[in-house]
């Protein structure tokens, strides 16, 4: 729901995440929040972005957001559709992906992510869907963007399970592990934007969304959060950005209604 | 003398009876498109037990098979109700051993894709640049790491997937049993070629496929049985035939959340119907028109 600013925290998150995607980038898109952000980018500042979903569609231009990763809308509006083995072999491992755009259930200070299980693996408190394409998207994309809502259940001191690698223990540990891509370059939440420190790779708060205080972000983070000395303010959504996002959500809601 | 064995054109009931046995290792593939729902239902109707089920993206039909007690082991890489949330029957089996303990063999998509391709290639294992730094290999001992003999790079190795039987749904087949599939084709071709036996349900059987030379066609002689099951992918979709029924996926969340409501649904709509056509009539609405 829009707050007194005239837009919601979720809308700010999606728009801030969309802005991180450069025009012309080849982007491997995760379902959910990343898919919304990537399509807002395509419909605003990045008309030439190439969106790829792991189900096979390449250069897809959906008019509504897919509910599943393989909706018919994605293949009908794609330039080509490839098989799953081809997608992961030639396109992802082949080094054709500029940006992997991922969500997560849990994230730690070095941008490692968990989408597998909350609690003990053998006796989990919550069994999550699992890895899907994420470990190799996180490894092989030239860079990774991550978007998720900011709270202490998600931003944890220690992950219950490392599904996909960010910077592991920080410093040069990602390079030593042999992952080809450079790793996460930004984490966009409903409170602000975190980016890895150049040396330590620890996530650092570099931008606050309008109306959010540093204290709020600290309280929503499960580790002692580093704050950039020159922390900035995210520009609020423009009228165009908001309109594009709201139209997209409205089209999507209409398309996904219907009878069971 | 060579004697090419063409696919048999059977009813789905006959095909499951003949090719799916208790204790089988079985893949019902489909990557959100062309999910072989009718075949999943028929396996429940026929009461198969102790199955090992393989699928990259287990969704509603695997939730149904698990909740109905047909399954002892699941090999997978992403298990959820796409765009909706959890698979409650899968979670109940993992978290509470209901209705029976479920062994998990968990992977990532890239690993399963490589394992299916290895199976189709009759190779013992697949390789990928994968699982680096992930905790998955700690819990799945079948994921190993090898050194490239040429570059020294550390790569993951995964054993080939070789199902006893693979079942997929496709758009159409001709009367000889050649199968044509298009749109999001997932890993279905590899899953069929990796299996000892395969069943393909199709929207329709036609006189001529009229497919372009590079289309994904499974020749009749690599398929064991073809069954005509109109609407057989419901509630997923068949490109060119009907759309995904997103509303049903959303409604499954409530149906499957509690054991009682799930069991009542299985009793009424699966065990209480004689085949998929009757299931579609009994569910009504969009299912009947798919």
């Amino acid at each position: 729901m829009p707050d007194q600013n005239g837009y919601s925290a979720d809308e700010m998150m999606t728009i801030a995440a969309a802005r991180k995607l450069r025009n012309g980038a080849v982007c491997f898109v995760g379902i959910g929040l990343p898919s919304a952000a990537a399509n807002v980018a395509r419909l605003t500042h990045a008309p030439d972005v190439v969106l790829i979903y792991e189900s096979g569609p390449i250069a897809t231009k959906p008019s509504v957001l897919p509910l599943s990763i393989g909706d018919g809308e994605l293949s009908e509006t794609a330039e080509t559709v490839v098989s799953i083995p081809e997608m992961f072999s030639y396109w992802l491992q082949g080094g054709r992906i500029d940006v992997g755009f991922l969500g997560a259930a849990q994230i730690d200070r070095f941008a490692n992510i968990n989408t597998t299980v909350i609690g003990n693996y053998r006796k989990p408190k919550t069994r999550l869907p699992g890895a899907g394409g994420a470990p190799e998207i996180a490894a092989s994309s030239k860079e990774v963007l991550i978007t998720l809502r900011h709270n202490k259940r998600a931003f944890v001191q220690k992950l219950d399970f490392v599904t996909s690698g960010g910077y592991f223990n920080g410093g040069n540990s990602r390079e030593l592990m042999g992952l080809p891509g450079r790793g996460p370059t930004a984490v966009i939440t409903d409170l602000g934007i975190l980016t890895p420190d150049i040396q330590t790779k620890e996530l650092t708060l570099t931008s606050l969304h309008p109306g959010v205080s540093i204290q709020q972000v600290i309280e929503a983070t499960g580790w002692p959060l580093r704050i950039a000395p020159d922390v900035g303010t995210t520009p609020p959504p423009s009228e165009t950005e908001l309109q594009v996002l709201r139209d997209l959500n409205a089209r999507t809601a209409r398309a996904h209604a219907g009878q069971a | 003398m060579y004697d090419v064995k063409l696919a048999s054109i059977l009813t789905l009931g006959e095909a499951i009876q003949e090719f799916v046995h208790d204790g089988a290792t079985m893949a019902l593939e489909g990557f959100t498109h062309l999910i072989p729902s009718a075949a999943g239902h028929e396996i429940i109707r026929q009461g198969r037990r102790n199955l090992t089920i393989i699928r990259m993206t287990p969704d509603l039909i695997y939730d149904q098979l698990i909740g109905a007690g047909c399954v002892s082991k699941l090999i997978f890489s992403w298990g959820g109700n796409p765009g909706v949330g959890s698979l409650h029957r899968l979670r109940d089996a993992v978290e509470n051993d209901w209705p029976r303990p479920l062994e998990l063999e968990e992977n990532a998509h890239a690993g399963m894709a490589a394992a299916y391709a290895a199976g189709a290639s009759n190779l013992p294992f697949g390789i990928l640049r994968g699982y680096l730094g992930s905790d998955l290999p700690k819990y799945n001992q079948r994921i190993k790491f090898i050194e490239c003999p040429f570059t020294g790079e550390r790569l993951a190795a995964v054993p080939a997937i070789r199902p006893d039987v693979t079942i997929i749904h496709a758009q159409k087949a001709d009367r000889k049993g050649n199968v044509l599939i298009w749109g999001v084709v997932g890993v279905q071709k590899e899953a069929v070629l990796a299996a000892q036996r395969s069943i393909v349900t199709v929207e329709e059987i036609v006189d001529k496929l009229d497919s372009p030379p590079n289309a994904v066609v499974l020749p009749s002689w690599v398929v064991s049985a073809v069954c005509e099951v109109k609407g057989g992918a419901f509630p997923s979709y068949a490109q060119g035939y009907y759309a995904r029924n997103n509303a049903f996926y959303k409604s499954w969340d409530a149906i499957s959340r509690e054991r009682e409501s799930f069991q009542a649904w299985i009793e009424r709509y699966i065990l209480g119907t004689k085949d998929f056509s009757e299931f579609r009539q009994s569910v009504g609405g969009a299912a009947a028109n798919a």
Side-chain angles (χ1 to χ4, degrees):
Chain A
M1 295 300 285
D3 60 11
Q4 68 277 12
N5 296 322
Y7 55 87
S8 71
D10 268 7
E11 286 173 332
M12 182 71 256
M13 168 171 61
T14 300
I15 288 164
R19 289 173 186 158
K20 290 286 178 189
L21 192 55
R22 296 183 312 279
N23 193 23
V26 177
C27 178
F28 205 112
V29 188
I31 203 69
L33 296 174
S35 172
N39 280 288
V40 168
R42 181 177 60 80
L43 295 168
T44 53
H45 68 277
D48 300 321
V49 72
V50 177
L51 301 187
I52 298 182
Y53 287 70
E54 68 187 10
S55 59
I58 291 179
T60 182
K61 299 177 170 63
S63 67
V64 301
L65 294 174
L67 187 68
S68 85
I69 196 91
D71 277 16
E73 174 76 9
L74 295 173
S75 56
E76 282 161 15
T77 60
E79 286 176 3
T80 182
V81 182
V82 302
S83 75
I84 297 289
E86 178 176 333
M87 176 57 75
F88 283 96
S89 298
Y90 301 166
W91 298 88
L92 183 57
Q93 291 185 63
R96 301 281 173 179
I97 308 300
D98 296 320
V99 181
F101 214 145
L102 298 174
Q106 284 186 333
I107 187 165
D108 70 12
R109 70 173 71 197
F110 294 115
N112 304 301
I113 62 182
N114 173 17
T115 53
T116 302
V117 72
I118 305 293
N120 181 287
Y121 182 81
R122 307 269 177 220
K123 271 284 153 207
K125 194 159 15 151
T126 307
R127 178 62 234 197
L128 303 167
E136 285 70 36
I137 297 169
S140 283
S141 302
K142 287 172 192 157
E143 67 174 295
V144 175
L145 298 172
I146 301 169
T147 181
L148 75 166
R149 294 186 185 91
H150 210 137
N151 58 62
K152 272 196 162 152
R153 285 191 320 272
F155 284 69
V156 296
Q157 175 75 32
K158 183 167 169 37
L159 296 182
D160 292 324
F161 191 99
V162 178
T163 310
S164 308
Y167 295 103
F168 300 103
N169 301 314
N172 65 349
S173 55
R174 180 183 170 97
E175 284 166 74
L176 293 177
M177 201 81 82
L179 282 74
R182 62 191 274 224
T185 50
V187 177
I188 304 98
T189 81
D190 49 351
L191 299 181
I193 300 172
L194 291 76
T195 53
D197 179 83
I198 291 172
Q199 291 297 322
T200 66
K201 303 299 183 189
E202 182 169 341
L203 289 176
T204 306
L205 180 68
T206 47
S207 188
L208 281 166
H209 296 335
V212 177
S213 71
I214 288 180
Q215 194 54 35
Q216 257 180 286
V217 186
I218 288 172
E219 281 169 11
T221 306
W223 66 83
L225 181 66
R226 289 175 58 96
I227 314 293
D230 54 347
V231 60
T233 303
T234 313
S238 71
E239 268 185 43
T240 307
E241 287 169 328
L242 267 184
Q243 198 58 51
V244 163
L245 173 59
R246 287 174 182 174
D247 288 350
L248 179 63
N249 284 336
R251 285 197 302 276
T252 301
R254 277 198 302 275
H256 292 178
Q259 294 178 348
Chain B
M1 288 291 288
Y2 297 97
D3 191 12
V4 169
K5 173 113 174 60
L6 299 181
S8 309
I9 309 286
L10 299 176
T11 67
L12 180 56
E14 291 167 342
I16 299 298
Q17 186 70 40
E18 182 167 351
F19 296 113
V20 180
H21 304 129
D22 285 354
T25 295
M26 178 180 85
L28 274 67
E29 272 298 346
F31 207 94
T32 70
H33 179 213
L34 294 174
I35 290 161
S37 305
H41 290 177
E42 186 58 26
I43 291 164
I44 295 171
R45 256 184 225 110
Q46 294 196 16
R48 291 296 177 278
R49 287 293 179 269
N50 296 318
L51 299 169
T52 291
I53 56 175
I54 309 171
R55 172 122 171 247
M56 294 181 67
T57 53
D59 73 347
L60 273 47
I61 52 167
Y62 275 24
D63 210 34
Q64 291 161 9
L65 284 161
I66 291 165
C70 305
V71 181
S72 54
K73 180 174 178 180
L74 170 66
I75 300 174
F76 76 113
S77 43
W78 191 92
N81 181 346
V84 179
S86 291
L87 293 177
H88 298 294
R89 296 300 96 220
L90 167 60
R91 276 186 60 174
D92 202 15
V94 173
E95 296 168 12
N96 307 306
D97 292 340
W98 193 93
R100 57 176 57 197
L102 178 69
E103 186 187 345
L104 295 185
E105 187 175 310
E106 186 161 4
N107 304 280
H109 283 348
M112 283 196 77
Y116 271 121
S121 310
N122 194 25
L123 286 168
F125 67 94
I127 58 165
L128 67 152
R129 188 180 290 110
Y131 294 115
L132 292 171
S134 172
D135 280 344
L136 282 166
K138 292 182 193 166
Y139 296 94
N140 179 351
Q141 305 295 323
R142 287 159 61 82
I143 301 166
K144 308 280 190 198
F145 290 92
I146 59 168
E147 191 177 281
C148 169
F150 306 101
T151 64
E153 185 178 356
R154 191 161 176 262
L155 298 166
V158 290
I161 293 174
R162 302 304 301 262
D164 296 324
V165 56
T166 286
I167 307 178
I168 65 166
H169 187 75
Q171 277 97 344
K172 55 184 168 182
D174 65 18
R175 299 195 188 283
K176 284 184 187 164
N178 297 300
V179 172
L180 175 63
I181 174 169
W182 72 87
V184 170
V185 295
V187 73
Q188 281 98 308
K189 181 177 182 175
E190 290 76 10
V192 165
L193 293 176
Q196 309 300 319
R197 302 274 184 277
S198 60
I199 301 170
V200 184
T201 58
V202 294
E203 288 298 320
E204 57 176 340
I205 295 178
V206 297
D207 290 330
K208 269 178 77 71
L209 286 183
D210 281 325
S211 56
N214 300 104
V216 179
V217 169
L218 292 164
S220 179
W221 49 272
V222 302
V223 175
S224 310
V226 169
C227 316
E228 190 176 50
V229 186
K230 185 169 178 282
F234 173 88
S236 90
Y237 68 105
Q239 193 139 16
Y241 290 81
Y242 48 91
R244 190 172 192 270
N245 193 299
N246 287 325
F248 187 87
Y249 279 87
K250 290 176 181 167
S251 72
W252 183 251
D253 191 66
I255 294 166
S256 62
R257 191 172 286 271
E258 302 300 332
R259 293 170 185 172
E260 295 69 26
S261 54
F262 166 78
Q263 284 177 315
W265 189 90
I266 290 284
E267 285 289 338
R268 173 163 179 201
Y269 294 108
I270 306 298
L271 301 178
T273 56
K274 75 172 171 23
D275 60 18
F276 198 69
S277 165
E278 211 176 286
F279 162 78
R280 288 170 58 211
Q281 292 306 319
S282 74
V283 170
N289 303 322

